[in-house]
Amino acid sequence: MTQTAETPAIAALERYEAVIGLEVHAQLLTVSKMFCGCSAAYTDAAPNDNTCPVCLGLPGVLPVINRQAIEYTVRTALALECEIPEFTKFDRKNYFYPDLPKGYQISQYDTPLSRNGRIEFPVGGETVRCGITRVHLEEDTGTMHHAGDVLQSATQSFVDFNRSGVPLMEIVGEPDLRTAEHAREYLVRLRQLLMYIGVNDGNLEKGSFRCDANISLRSREAAELGTKVEVKNMNSFRAVHRALESEIERQAAVLDSGAVIQQETRGWVETRGRTVSQRSKEYAHDYRYFPEPDLPPLRLDSAFVERVRASLPELPPARARRFVDQYGLNAYDASVLTSTREDADTYEELVRLGVAAKLAANWLMGDVAALANEHRLGLRDSGLGIAGLSRLLGLLDSARINGPTAKELLTELYVRGGDPEAIVLERGLGQVSDETELEALVDAAIAANPVAATDFRGGKQQALGQLMRHVKEATGGRADMPLVNRLLRERLSR
Amino acid sequence: MSSTASTITALAASLRDGSSSPRELLAQTLAHIDATNTRTHAYLRTTRELAERQADAAARTLRANPESAPPMCGIPVALKDVLCVDGVETTASSRVLGGFTPPYTGTAVQRLFDAGAVCVGKTNCDEFAMGSSNENSAFGPVGNPWDVERVPGGSSGGSAASVAAGDVPCALGSDTGGSIRQPASLCGVVGFKPTYGRVSRYGLIAFASSLDQIGPFARSVEDAAIVYSTIAGHDPRDSTSDPRAVDDPLLRLRDGVAGMRLGVPKEYFGMGIDPGVREAVEAALRVLEGLGATLHHVSLPSTEVGLSTYYIIAPAECSSNLARYDGVRFGLRVEHPALIDMYLRTRDQGFGPEVKRRVMLGTYALSSGYYDAYYRKAQKVRTLIADEFTRVFADVDALVSPTSPTAAFPMGDRDDPISMYMCDVVTLPVNLAGLPGISVPCGFAGGLPVGLQVIAPRFEDSRVFRVAHAYEQATEWHRARSPLAEAAA
């Protein structure tokens, strides 16, 4: 996507280079929490119902590692081409906050589950490559609800520990991104990848996929990095884009004025359209990390890692390339059709059922996508289903119905389902493609529209439309229109 | 038969031959506690209702299956107040946990309950198990049954004193740097710390996770082995518990020490050892020699840095483990409109001076800029200490030493922390290395009990019991009763 309007941030980037690195926290779609047996699906429970002594941090309890969470993190790390060291351990990150029941978060400090990965994606015409510093595993906190605005001025605060202990994967990106657009595309691709491999549901609003950014500016000539600012509170792709643009603009103005950037944490305030200082460096936490004594270190043997690698699905970029090679699609269509794993699977199932590759692509990206969106119902789960669509498109491909009929049937059957072939027979929707029958209708159309016929003969191509409509209406929309077109031209050229 | 002055094995027999019943035993026990507790203050609370339910259940089991019922069935036990019991107030002797009632029972305790044991009460201890005299309890000190003006040792002072006072035949404690063995020594009872990872810590209020281990107090080595084998074994809720099968310590308990090579670490006889203690322990070594063991002088040169290593690692872990006492969810909360002030006031009023001292020591040791100099270095020294034991154990089967450099000292006698920390100088290396160790009575110094410590390689818990049992059976020390037990009987 290219930026059309010249924003102040874009203008600032002519003087300064922005250096952006993103940290993503993604909740894992495991059955249970990271260190106890409570459900990891916490959102539907009444406050503090989805808890146990372990995730409430009661005295005397101990954590037990969720193996599925380890596997999902390794899965992610492999999808991001990371190295998986043989040795890994958990550490305690110590700080006080009411939503952190133990007074420390079990996280990973110096020996993460994986390091040194990468992700590549297109932005505009160029390919952006962003390094992945590390992917590690930790536990989520509870949530706070304040009677009032924020904790500091609240008259009462409530804590809900339903989310406490949900497995949380932290993906730290290298500071390889240079624009807000890069950052947004990085997140779009990362989210797509996590959803593709089935480890995260990608919900930014509900916070199952969260993002913080580190951003600094430096003059175009400078080699060393500028002072970085951490930006938080961005809960949509749009917010990330706007927050980073605003921050680039703010930092550029500070630098332009000859002042220096303060190292600090700033929060994006959607309603004000700008970032606001939250915490300066002097108040930075000393987390006093040390190895978690309640959990022995883990040794991930290569057999385990290889088993996880073998279980990885084909990832979006590779799948899109294959769609181009195997199905003759253009790059854009291939990219759209592989944007989610479900869409790509649907497409390939349709083709396997005998629908022509290009036909399947056009219908899925066009009418089917519109209906899926309208009804909030994917084809796979719709009444018609993938098999129903393949039968419908089969009727079209074999010229037993025409395009408009196919479209009407699709709309009618999408939700409620039904056998397209039976309906075509029952209602006599079969395409009229008998030449003799159509020739008679063509003659009748010319006779009924002498002016249009004369106009066409006089070189006015558009006049043909009126004649074609006449035939179409005469067959109740069932005429083979390409054939009608040919017959009309033949007749009028005599 | 009275529970007073009796052993688990004797009581188990009386429960089966009909001369006693779990209810009778319970009634005697509670009456005995009534008589002694005013002097010892060993109990923070008794648990009559729970005990009655458990006694009745034990009676049913004994009636149905007198032969196959576990040896612990119907036996009264006391639990250190760092062990969580569902529905029973558990405070770790701290104001910060005042009124806290756990909604769950820890694994080791549950195993005792499953075996039919009858929980009679929660015993006093140093706050969060931090101390060597039981003077750090927020609820008052514990008197030693041999002389109530003296300390019982700590931190499991209440459990040790209760067994020594004849209240119960056995009790559970926890040992992080000597907190079972040292009070056992000072109270003249048997106290055993298992190999780290042998007994689940699930349900033990943590002091220092990598050092804590639950273990038994008893009046005989055999009884301690019975309690140990009831509570030991892998627990999926504790990832640091070892999955290997536990060998039955009773199988080779009576195999004796003939032909065994016993190491005598010279460093364990220095460090301010009381002459009377030295004399008693040296006599004990001659007894072991007489039983056919050979004695070998060995050296553990890192012993002198053990104390400082321990006082970095244990406080570091404690500073983190105690962060959950923040006034938000349970226990004490000192209200204040500002969150930070609620935290500060709660923790200031909730914790005693020794706990605060260790939280501060540990916070400092883990702080940015100090971590490498303190915590990381301490971990390296810890490895050296463990390696030193491994080297020594290549040459000897077990180590024998005093448990504590001194006998019980008067309350208020050690008012500076360092002299108090010295109490554990020969017990805490065992925790740093994760080894099993026991204290068994070996005589008196100035009329006060002295303990012999036996240490074996990791997972050789059975060997510890075997050596201690051979010694115990060759002497009469374990039959000696404290004046308080005699008076109450």
Side-chain angles (χ1 to χ4, degrees):
Chain A
M1 266 161 269
T2 46
Q3 201 74 34
T4 46
E6 169 95 338
T7 64
I10 299 275
L13 289 181
E14 279 162 21
R15 299 187 306 281
Y16 300 103
E17 180 179 54
V19 177
I20 302 170
L22 299 179
E23 280 175 24
V24 165
H25 285 89
Q27 287 175 351
L28 293 177
L29 289 171
T30 51
V31 173
S32 55
K33 289 186 179 180
M34 187 61 227
F35 299 114
C36 64
C38 291
S39 173
Y42 60 90
T43 46
D44 293 335
N48 293 309
D49 259 16
N50 185 42
T51 56
C52 72
V54 175
C55 57
L56 286 174
L58 295 189
V61 298
L62 297 169
V64 177
I65 295 172
N66 180 336
R67 298 185 63 89
Q68 196 183 23
I70 300 284
E71 187 171 331
Y72 279 10
T73 306
V74 170
R75 208 173 159 79
T76 305
L78 291 173
L80 290 167
E81 298 176 52
C82 291
E83 298 156 15
I84 315 282
E86 199 183 319
F87 175 92
T88 185
K89 66 174 168 60
F90 286 93
D91 300 280
R92 290 188 184 177
K93 178 181 181 177
N94 295 285
Y95 66 96
F96 284 92
Y97 204 67
D99 65 9
L100 187 70
K102 298 187 294 297
Y104 56 86
Q105 179 192 36
I106 304 179
S107 180
Q108 296 195 281
Y109 182 54
D110 53 351
T111 58
L113 265 161
S114 64
R115 304 173 181 274
N116 298 334
R118 64 194 59 79
I119 186 170
E120 281 182 7
F121 49 91
V123 178
E126 56 166 340
T127 296
V128 175
R129 180 186 175 287
C130 185
I132 301 292
T133 315
R134 57 192 280 168
V135 181
H136 76 242
L137 192 48
E138 57 191 33
E139 54 177 340
D140 212 342
T141 63
T143 47
M144 299 273 291
H145 305 276
H146 306 298
D149 190 16
V150 290
L151 179 63
Q152 281 69 26
S153 64
T155 49
Q156 252 189 315
S157 293
F158 302 90
V159 202
D160 178 2
F161 292 103
N162 284 347
R163 195 181 74 174
S164 168
V166 167
L168 198 61
M169 184 168 62
E170 182 170 330
I171 303 166
V172 182
E174 289 284 297
D176 291 342
L177 308 172
R178 294 293 174 264
T179 67
E181 195 56 33
H182 283 184
R184 180 165 64 188
E185 281 307 300
Y186 169 91
L187 292 174
V188 166
R189 293 296 169 158
L190 185 59
R191 174 175 174 272
Q192 177 196 35
L193 185 72
L194 299 188
M195 292 170 73
Y196 227 82
I197 60 175
V199 302
N200 177 256
D201 70 7
N203 195 325
L204 275 75
E205 289 79 42
K206 286 186 177 163
S208 62
F209 182 97
R210 315 198 272 271
C211 167
D212 299 331
N214 284 300
I215 174 167
S216 64
L217 259 53
R218 60 179 167 190
S219 77
R220 286 274 162 194
E221 300 81 48
E224 69 275 22
L225 293 169
T227 304
K228 72 175 177 184
V229 165
E230 188 180 14
V231 184
K232 291 177 173 290
N233 274 352
M234 303 168 290
N235 53 15
S236 68
F237 291 134
R238 192 176 117 88
V240 170
H241 191 266
R242 289 182 67 203
L244 291 178
E245 290 247 298
S246 139
E247 189 57 22
I248 289 169
E249 200 183 318
R250 186 190 70 84
Q251 291 191 18
V254 172
L255 294 172
D256 284 345
S257 74
V260 292
I261 300 293
Q262 298 299 318
Q263 185 174 336
E264 60 182 342
T265 299
R266 300 178 69 87
W268 169 245
V269 182
E270 189 79 47
T271 48
R272 296 163 70 180
R274 64 185 194 89
T275 64
V276 172
S277 181
Q278 288 183 331
R279 188 169 70 209
S280 68
K281 193 191 171 190
E282 302 91 87
Y283 297 99
H285 286 124
D286 178 356
Y287 290 119
R288 305 191 309 281
Y289 282 99
F290 75 106
E292 167 56 279
D294 288 331
L295 295 170
L298 288 176
R299 287 187 189 282
L300 301 180
D301 60 49
S302 54
F304 168 75
V305 174
E306 289 317 308
R307 192 164 54 75
V308 177
R309 196 192 301 277
S311 76
L312 274 181
E314 190 181 15
L315 301 177
R319 202 166 188 183
R321 277 195 299 277
R322 182 168 62 79
F323 276 22
V324 171
D325 296 343
Q326 188 175 341
Y327 303 120
L329 302 179
N330 64 40
Y332 175 79
D333 289 359
S335 150
V336 172
L337 286 170
T338 53
S339 65
T340 73
R341 192 173 169 182
E342 194 187 5
D343 286 353
D345 288 348
T346 299
Y347 174 73
E348 295 212 84
E349 243 176 280
L350 213 48
V351 173
R352 254 199 310 282
L353 289 170
V355 180
K358 187 66 192 166
L359 186 69
N362 289 341
W363 281 77
L364 283 182
M365 294 192 304
D367 291 288
V368 174
L371 285 165
N373 198 31
E374 180 189 336
H375 298 292
R376 304 228 153 271
L377 179 68
L379 174 65
R380 188 176 294 275
D381 304 316
S382 71
L384 185 63
I386 297 172
L389 180 65
S390 86
R391 283 198 296 275
L392 182 62
L393 295 179
L395 293 172
L396 175 69
D397 206 30
S398 60
R400 292 183 54 199
I401 59 174
N402 62 11
T405 305
K407 202 166 177 164
E408 277 164 28
L409 280 176
L410 174 67
T411 307
E412 183 184 338
L413 301 182
Y414 190 79
V415 175
R416 73 166 170 88
D419 180 4
E421 192 156 1
I423 292 170
V424 166
L425 285 175
E426 181 191 314
R427 298 192 198 156
L429 297 177
Q431 179 163 265
V432 179
S433 40
D434 180 82
E435 282 205 32
T436 320
E437 190 182 344
L438 287 177
E439 272 167 6
L441 291 169
V442 162
D443 289 342
I446 292 169
N449 297 279
V451 178
T454 309
D455 284 354
F456 182 78
R457 286 198 178 99
K460 200 172 168 194
Q461 290 291 318
Q462 306 96 294
L464 197 64
Q466 192 181 342
L467 297 167
M468 287 191 54
R469 268 196 300 284
H470 189 99
V471 180
K472 187 182 172 185
E473 277 157 22
T475 58
R478 295 179 298 121
D480 179 344
M481 295 311 287
L483 182 57
V484 171
N485 187 299
R486 180 168 63 80
L487 293 174
L488 268 170
R489 287 173 188 276
E490 281 172 12
R491 192 65 73 175
L492 291 169
S493 64
R494 273 180 204 161
Chain B
M1 178 181 282
S2 161
S3 68
T4 312
S6 196
T7 59
I8 294 171
T9 41
L11 291 170
S14 75
L15 288 170
R16 283 161 181 78
D17 67 19
S19 57
S20 184
S21 74
R23 272 284 193 160
E24 275 174 47
L25 215 48
L26 172 60
Q28 288 163 2
T29 303
L30 292 172
H32 199 277
I33 291 170
D34 277 345
T36 58
N37 204 44
T38 49
R39 308 290 307 284
T40 61
H41 194 36
Y43 286 84
L44 294 177
R45 68 200 66 83
T46 51
T47 50
R48 179 185 292 275
E49 276 179 41
L50 171 65
E52 285 175 350
R53 280 201 307 278
Q54 289 176 330
D56 291 344
R60 286 192 294 276
T61 305
L62 285 164
R63 265 198 305 278
N65 304 297
E67 297 314 314
S68 64
M72 290 305 296
C73 193
I75 303 294
V77 297
L79 304 174
K80 185 179 182 181
D81 204 34
V82 291
L83 295 164
C84 289
V85 180
D86 191 354
V88 175
E89 187 183 356
T90 300
T91 66
S93 290
S94 180
R95 262 191 292 276
V96 90
L97 272 174
F100 172 67
T101 302
Y104 77 104
T105 297
T107 302
V109 172
Q110 190 61 52
R111 286 181 180 177
L112 271 186
F113 289 178
D114 290 345
V118 176
C119 171
V120 298
K122 303 298 292 290
T123 57
N124 203 343
C125 56
D126 284 303
E127 184 178 6
F128 285 105
M130 297 175 200
S132 308
S133 69
N134 218 116
E135 291 166 295
N136 296 334
S137 167
F139 307 116
V142 170
N144 189 319
W146 293 87
D147 175 354
V148 292
E149 302 298 313
R150 288 174 184 266
V151 304
S155 64
S156 312
S159 288
S162 178
V163 174
D167 300 332
V168 282
C170 60
L172 288 189
S174 65
D175 190 317
T176 306
S179 281
I180 291 173
R181 290 158 290 156
Q182 185 256 12
S185 173
L186 269 53
C187 288
V189 298
V190 176
F192 176 64
K193 182 203 94 76
T195 296
Y196 184 81
R198 262 306 177 220
V199 177
S200 170
R201 295 184 293 115
Y202 188 79
L204 167 66
I205 295 181
F207 158 20
S209 312
S210 73
L211 300 160
D212 295 343
Q213 198 64 190
I214 298 169
F217 289 92
R219 293 201 196 100
S220 75
V221 173
E222 182 177 13
D223 280 4
I226 289 170
V227 178
Y228 163 72
S229 57
T230 305
I231 63 176
H234 180 242
D235 176 14
R237 289 181 185 274
D238 176 0
S239 304
T240 64
S241 80
D242 196 274
R244 279 169 281 189
V246 183
D247 53 339
D248 182 352
L250 299 172
L251 283 181
R252 305 192 61 192
L253 189 68
R254 291 174 174 78
D255 283 7
V257 292
M260 261 198 189
R261 297 171 62 84
L262 300 179
V264 183
K266 67 170 187 218
E267 291 81 3
Y268 287 27
F269 289 78
M271 308 227 177
I273 190 171
D274 178 90
V277 170
R278 175 191 289 273
E279 215 171 285
V281 173
E282 282 173 350
L285 299 186
R286 287 193 294 277
V287 170
L288 286 163
E289 232 174 356
L291 292 168
T294 55
L295 299 179
H296 304 268
H297 291 286
V298 297
S299 177
L300 294 165
S302 296
T303 302
E304 62 171 342
V305 290
L307 191 78
S308 39
T309 303
Y310 177 88
Y311 277 99
I312 289 169
I313 291 171
E317 292 182 8
C318 115
S319 71
S320 176
N321 283 333
L322 269 57
R324 70 190 62 196
Y325 308 108
D326 59 3
V328 173
R329 286 148 299 131
F330 49 76
L332 179 73
R333 176 194 293 175
V334 182
E335 295 284 0
H336 192 279
L339 176 67
I340 181 75
D341 292 299
M342 187 279 280
Y343 280 156
L344 291 171
R345 283 164 200 229
T346 298
R347 289 169 69 82
D348 180 44
Q349 294 178 34
F351 291 142
E354 184 60 29
V355 171
K356 286 178 190 166
R357 181 178 296 120
R358 297 196 194 190
V359 167
M360 285 190 281
L361 275 173
T363 303
Y364 184 82
L366 289 175
S367 292
S368 155
Y370 299 98
Y371 183 89
D372 286 344
Y374 294 105
Y375 187 78
R376 195 185 297 281
K377 185 169 277 182
Q379 287 293 11
K380 286 181 181 163
V381 177
R382 182 178 186 173
T383 304
L384 287 180
I385 290 170
D387 289 348
E388 229 166 72
F389 276 112
T390 306
R391 267 200 304 282
V392 165
F393 282 128
D395 198 41
V396 299
D397 299 307
L399 295 170
V400 284
S401 78
T403 305
S404 166
T406 67
F409 45 89
M411 286 183 194
D413 197 43
R414 300 199 178 179
D415 46 9
D416 75 294
I418 301 295
S419 71
M420 190 67 90
Y421 294 170
M422 289 301 287
C423 292
D424 298 324
V425 73
V426 297
T427 47
L428 57 83
V430 173
N431 298 75
L432 288 169
L435 309 174
I438 202 167
S439 181
V440 59
C442 73
F444 293 86
L448 296 163
V450 175
L452 172 73
Q453 179 174 232
V454 181
I455 306 163
R458 292 193 69 193
F459 299 105
E460 297 294 346
D461 302 65
S462 292
R463 195 184 298 167
V464 169
F465 286 119
R466 183 177 153 191
V467 174
H469 181 77
Y471 172 78
E472 175 194 76
Q473 294 303 306
T475 60
E476 292 295 313
W477 306 119
H478 64 290
R479 295 187 209 284
R481 294 289 160 248
S482 69
L484 201 63
E486 294 290 352

